[in-house]
Amino acid sequence: MPTSHTSRTTPATPATPTRAKSPLTHYTLAQLRRRRSVKWTEFPPDVLPMRIAEMDTPLAEPIADALARAVSDGDTGYATPGRLPELFAAFAGRRYRWHPGAQAMRIAPDVMSGIVEILRVTTGPGDAVVVNTPGYPPYFTQLDRIGLRVVSSPLLSGPDGYRLDLDRLEHAFTAGAKAFLLCNPHNPTGTVFTPDELASVAELAERHDVQVVADEILAPLVHPGPRRHVAFPSLDRPAAARSVALVSASKAWNLAGLKAALIVPGPEARATVAATDDELAEASGLFGVLASEAAFADGEPWLDELLRALDDNRHLLADELGRRLPRVRHQLPDAGFTSWLDFRELRLAEDPAAQILRTARVGVSSGPRYSPHSPPGEASPGHGFVRLNFATRPDLVVEAVRRMATAPAPSDGGGTR
């Protein structure tokens, strides 16, 4: 695991960077507590909620306008794809230099349901699917539910962050895995995998006839720095050409409750996507489609403001951890708005989230949920970890770390009080 924080500065006093247009400072805490979504209702009111991946932002104006028009027109029926595929294709060309074919895309309610459907089409009962750990918890529960066997492939960790363990991937592929569920950018670590890593995955998948399914929901949220998102189907490799990517505006524009995603085939995977069940599209939400169209067509200025605010907050979190909880290790995420925090030196428990909630009144995600299928004889990559959502007001990031510094017992020397 990385052994030090990575931040720009470590100030002597808490820094709370703000911007006039920051989407993260639009609402007061009292206003946020009026929300009825999961984030702001799952804990008692004395808890700072930083568990679920929702952002404390207003809607981008083009999205709010599109939804207001639909409500005014009573346009609340069943969804059609509309212009969403072509607008996403244009967005992908601008942001990622990827030019997927719009006509072959299908809509789905969300990325996870799209993943399940593609795996239903490309695998059979009992087949092995490789998932990197730590990994998004629904991967494990949903793949189990449809009768697939999850094979964990832990990421490598070191001073420069997390990387794919290509030797372990090859071992799993050689052992007969039928599919690899690639999460890039990665949840929960925020890692953006390099073009060389992705090319190596494609080479291994081609050699062993493994279907690659790429969850790319965090792609619009890559932070400033050397990393850039490379869409797996855009690689000039046979395995990439027959891969399928799942994308959505839901994370980057905070639209998770509106239910719309896209299943995007590589050039040789169009028949695979065409074989998906029509009921998947029928379960999508019209408001999700309308909002996503507005996001991909006109939402980039808002997205750029958001990315500046998230960049401030990821550094602020690193600074505060370094000042108050120097024994909690983490790396700046390359993408997204969550940080994967290593509390093992404080010896709180295998699942520090419970103690942090009980003693610090901060709600964070339980690390062990991100690696329930650890290889035999190996420690779980999630034991001793939590995931924290920093897409909120900067002063709440500071307050969350201040509270967490009270969680370790006094004898642990975990942090200042």
Side-chain angles (χ1 to χ4, degrees):
M1 208 23 237
T3 57
S4 62
H5 297 285
T6 304
S7 61
R8 292 178 291 196
T9 59
T10 303
T13 57
T16 55
T18 59
R19 296 178 185 274
K21 295 183 180 180
S22 170
L24 295 177
T25 58
H26 186 86
Y27 296 116
T28 66
L29 178 59
Q31 289 172 319
L32 291 171
R33 290 204 181 278
R34 294 204 299 263
R35 289 187 169 190
R36 296 175 59 185
S37 64
V38 171
K39 177 179 179 180
W40 286 97
T41 59
E42 68 173 333
F43 296 113
D46 64 324
V47 173
L48 280 182
M50 295 187 159
R51 186 188 74 83
I52 202 161
E54 299 175 16
M55 296 191 294
D56 296 339
T57 62
L59 286 175
E61 188 172 347
I63 295 173
D65 290 346
L67 295 177
R69 282 194 301 271
V71 171
S72 178
D73 293 343
D75 191 6
T76 56
Y78 295 108
T80 68
R83 298 180 60 223
L84 181 54
E86 63 191 79
L87 291 172
F88 170 74
F91 174 86
R94 292 191 300 271
R95 303 292 281 209
Y96 320 134
R97 290 175 282 178
W98 175 34
H99 302 280
Q103 290 189 346
M105 299 181 197
R106 300 287 295 270
I107 60 170
D110 49 59
V111 161
M112 193 67 235
S113 61
I115 289 169
V116 167
E117 181 63 7
I118 291 299
L119 290 174
R120 184 192 67 80
V121 171
T122 58
T123 65
D127 281 348
V129 178
V130 180
V131 177
N132 293 125
T133 50
Y136 180 50
Y139 292 163
F140 308 103
T141 56
Q142 294 298 309
L143 270 56
D144 283 345
R145 182 180 62 81
I146 62 172
L148 295 174
R149 181 166 53 90
V150 175
V151 175
S152 293
S153 181
L155 296 175
L156 290 172
S157 60
D160 296 325
Y162 287 90
R163 302 270 66 89
L164 292 170
D165 188 333
L166 297 172
D167 291 337
R168 294 193 78 139
L169 276 182
E170 182 168 26
H171 182 268
F173 290 1
T174 302
K178 296 298 183 183
F180 174 39
L181 177 46
L182 170 69
C183 185
N184 182 44
H186 184 259
N187 179 9
T189 67
T191 301
V192 173
F193 297 120
T194 66
D196 286 346
E197 287 178 290
L198 298 176
S200 295
V201 169
E203 181 182 347
L204 292 173
E206 182 64 22
R207 187 187 311 161
H208 298 284
D209 193 26
V210 171
Q211 172 71 50
V212 178
V213 181
D215 176 349
E216 302 192 353
I217 194 171
L218 293 175
L221 291 171
V222 176
H223 297 297
R227 303 280 182 190
R228 67 178 183 86
H229 176 67
V230 176
F232 192 83
S234 71
L235 299 174
D236 186 18
R237 297 286 197 282
R242 62 185 183 88
S243 70
V244 178
L246 287 301
V247 303
S248 179
S250 63
K251 281 290 180 278
W253 284 272
N254 208 39
L255 308 174
L258 300 186
K259 309 310 288 183
L262 283 169
I263 307 174
V264 185
E268 302 300 323
R270 295 179 180 181
T272 297
V273 172
T276 57
D277 196 319
D278 288 341
E279 290 186 359
L280 194 68
E282 293 168 3
S284 303
L286 177 59
F287 275 21
V289 171
L290 297 174
S292 299
E293 286 178 343
F296 291 131
D298 301 309
E300 286 178 80
W302 185 93
L303 176 63
D304 290 337
E305 289 291 344
L306 172 70
L307 286 170
R308 284 189 278 272
L310 291 176
D311 185 39
D312 282 345
N313 270 15
R314 68 179 179 138
H315 285 97
L316 174 63
L317 176 61
D319 293 340
E320 289 298 300
L321 288 169
R323 192 171 72 91
R324 292 183 179 271
L325 283 167
R327 292 167 63 191
V328 173
R329 307 300 182 185
H330 92 302
Q331 285 285 321
L332 283 178
D334 300 321
F337 50 85
T338 63
S339 282
W340 186 237
L341 307 182
D342 180 359
F343 277 79
R344 288 177 297 178
E345 278 195 30
L346 300 187
R347 300 178 182 176
L348 299 186
E350 286 187 351
D351 183 6
Q355 183 171 341
I356 290 170
L357 177 61
R358 186 177 66 254
T359 65
R361 309 307 284 162
V362 177
V364 291
S365 291
S366 164
R369 295 181 62 240
Y370 292 79
S371 54
H373 293 276
S374 298
E378 295 189 22
S380 165
H383 283 183
F385 287 78
V386 305
R387 190 191 75 168
L388 182 144
N389 172 1
F390 57 81
T392 190
R393 295 180 54 86
D395 56 302
L396 297 185
V397 174
V398 172
E399 174 62 11
V401 177
R402 187 196 69 77
R403 292 188 184 194
M404 288 193 299
T406 71
S411 60
D412 288 339
T416 58
R417 303 222 176 251

